[in-house]
């Protein structure tokens, strides 16, 4: 079985401050990992993905995430928050052992304060 | 098409009625997925297809839910005898093949059962 835990359902950051969203996964085999972003009244958009190449993955809008196997983590960061980063962020995991489908975490809503 | 298209965007139906939700995936995408997302939660897997074959329907909550993709392109998710607990956002996604490289999501259908 595979699962994803996102620590913190809400995160509040000041504009210009570091954004850190935590994601831990469980998977019986090496996983593929993803971060998606959902803006209000829109669909989910792929931010970045880890597919067993480089452990530090860069995505769109200045976000990046680091795969740490020893910690079973895939935390998302952005050095400097912008007002446009206010959205909900979802971590997801896929492994063939679990049936070739994404399992999503519960999401973290980011609020950016001016 | 250029993206994943879902219709209707909003659907309000009376309890006990049947509803059909439509998904038109990106042209040429082999895999098509259906998810359900309750407010404040992550997407929950329902079922998926490769071409016209339903590969996994383990997420369908009960036998009132069914899905088909008869020609390997457009898919319909049908909910019979709707109940208030079926109210949610229903999301469709497609991928070139499988989940390894992530999905492209549609904007979703917001279903409200009154």
């Amino acid at each position: 079985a595979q699962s994803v835990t996102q620590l913190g359902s809400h995160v509040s950051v000041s504009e210009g401050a570091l954004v850190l969203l935590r994601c831990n996964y469980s998977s019986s085999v090496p996983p593929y990992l993803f971060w998606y972003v959902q803006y209000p009244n829109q669909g989910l958009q792929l931010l970045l993905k880890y597919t067993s190449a480089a452990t530090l993955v860069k995505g769109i809008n200045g976000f990046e995430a680091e795969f740490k196997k020893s910690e079973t983590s895939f935390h998302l960061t952005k050095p400097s928050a912008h007002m446009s980063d206010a959205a909900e962020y979802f971590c997801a995991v896929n492994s063939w052992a679990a049936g070739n489908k994404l399992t999503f975490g519960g999401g973290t809503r980011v609020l950016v304060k001016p | 098409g250029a993206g994943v298209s879902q219709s209707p965007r909003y659907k309000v139906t009376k309890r006990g009625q049947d509803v059909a939700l439509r998904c038109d995936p990106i042209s040429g995408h082999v895999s098509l997925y259906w998810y359900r997302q309750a407010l404040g939660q992550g997407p929950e897997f329902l079922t998926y297809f490769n071409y016209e074959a339903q590969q996994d329907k383990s997420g369908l909550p009960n036998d009132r839910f069914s899905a088909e993709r008869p020609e390997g392109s457009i898919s319909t998710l049908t909910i019979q005898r709707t109940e208030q607990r079926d109210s949610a956002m229903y999301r469709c996604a497609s991928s070139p093949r499988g989940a390894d490289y992530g999905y492209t999501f549609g904007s979703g259908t917001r279903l409200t059962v009154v």
Side-chain angles (χ1 to χ4, degrees), chain B residues 1-17:
Chain B
V4 178
S5 177
Q6 291 188 248
S7 62
R9 189 73 189 270
Y10 302 93
K11 177 70 177 178
V12 179
T13 190
K14 292 185 177 180
R15 190 174 51 188
Q17 297 293 307

Side-chain angles (χ1 to χ4, degrees), chain B residues 2 4 8 10 16 20 33 37 39 45 52 58 72 75 83 98 102 111-112:
Chain B
V4 178
Y10 302 93
Y33 296 80
Q37 186 176 14
L39 208 58
F45 172 78
E52 72 282 359
S58 62
S75 177
E83 301 177 5
L111 175 66
T112 303

Side-chain angles (χ1 to χ4, degrees), chain A residues 32 34 36 38 41-44 49 51 90 94 96 99-102 104-106, chain B residues 9 33 35 37 40-43 45 48 56 91 98-103 105-106:
Chain A
Y32 287 2
F34 306 83
Y36 280 83
Q38 183 177 349
N41 299 316
Q42 294 187 28
L44 284 82
K49 59 192 175 190
T51 56
F90 295 94
N94 176 54
W96 279 91
N100 196 26
K101 56 184 181 284
L102 295 190
F104 286 84
Chain B
R9 189 73 189 270
Y33 296 80
Y35 281 76
Q37 186 176 14
Q41 297 183 23
F45 172 78
Y48 91 92
D56 184 342
R91 298 197 181 275
D100 283 356
Y101 296 94
Y103 312 146
F105 278 90

Side-chain angles (χ1 to χ4, degrees), chain B residues 11 13-14 19 53 57-58 66 69-70 84 92 96 103 108-109 113:
Chain B
K11 177 70 177 178
T13 190
K14 292 185 177 180
V19 295
K57 57 180 182 179
S58 62
S66 62
R69 193 186 184 197
Q84 284 190 322
C92 175
Y103 312 146
T109 294
V113 182

Side-chain angles (χ1 to χ4, degrees), chain B residues 11 18 22 29-30 38 42-43 45 51 53 59 71 94 97-99 107 111:
Chain B
K11 177 70 177 178
D18 298 349
R22 173 190 163 113
H29 275 194
V30 168
F45 172 78
Y51 300 104
E71 297 178 0
S94 70
R97 188 177 186 103
S107 296
L111 175 66

Side-chain angles (χ1 to χ4, degrees), chain B residues 39-100:
Chain B
L39 208 58
Q41 297 183 23
E44 174 189 26
F45 172 78
L46 294 177
T47 185
Y48 91 92
F49 296 82
N50 281 341
Y51 300 104
E52 72 282 359
Q54 192 169 23
Q55 300 293 317
D56 184 342
K57 57 180 182 179
S58 62
L60 296 177
N62 51 60
D63 61 8
R64 296 186 297 106
F65 287 73
S66 62
E68 62 175 8
R69 193 186 184 197
E71 297 178 0
S73 179
I74 292 170
S75 177
T76 302
L77 177 70
T78 300
I79 309 172
Q80 296 180 312
R81 305 180 302 283
T82 53
E83 301 177 5
Q84 284 190 322
R85 59 178 172 160
D86 299 333
S87 297
M89 177 71 82
Y90 289 82
R91 298 197 181 275
C92 175
S94 70
S95 75
R97 188 177 186 103
D100 283 356

Side-chain angles (χ1 to χ4, degrees), chain A residues 25-71:
Chain A
Y25 69 91
S26 73
S27 174
S28 57
V29 297
Y32 287 2
L33 294 157
F34 306 83
W35 277 98
Y36 280 83
V37 60
Q38 183 177 349
Y39 298 105
N41 299 316
Q42 294 187 28
L44 284 82
Q45 178 183 1
L46 183 64
L47 262 182
L48 50 79
K49 59 192 175 190
Y50 166 75
T51 56
S52 75
T55 56
L56 183 62
V57 181
K58 294 188 184 298
I60 61 172
N61 302 339
F63 284 91
E64 62 182 34
E66 185 172 11
F67 172 67
K68 292 187 176 180
K69 183 178 179 181
S70 60
E71 298 177 7

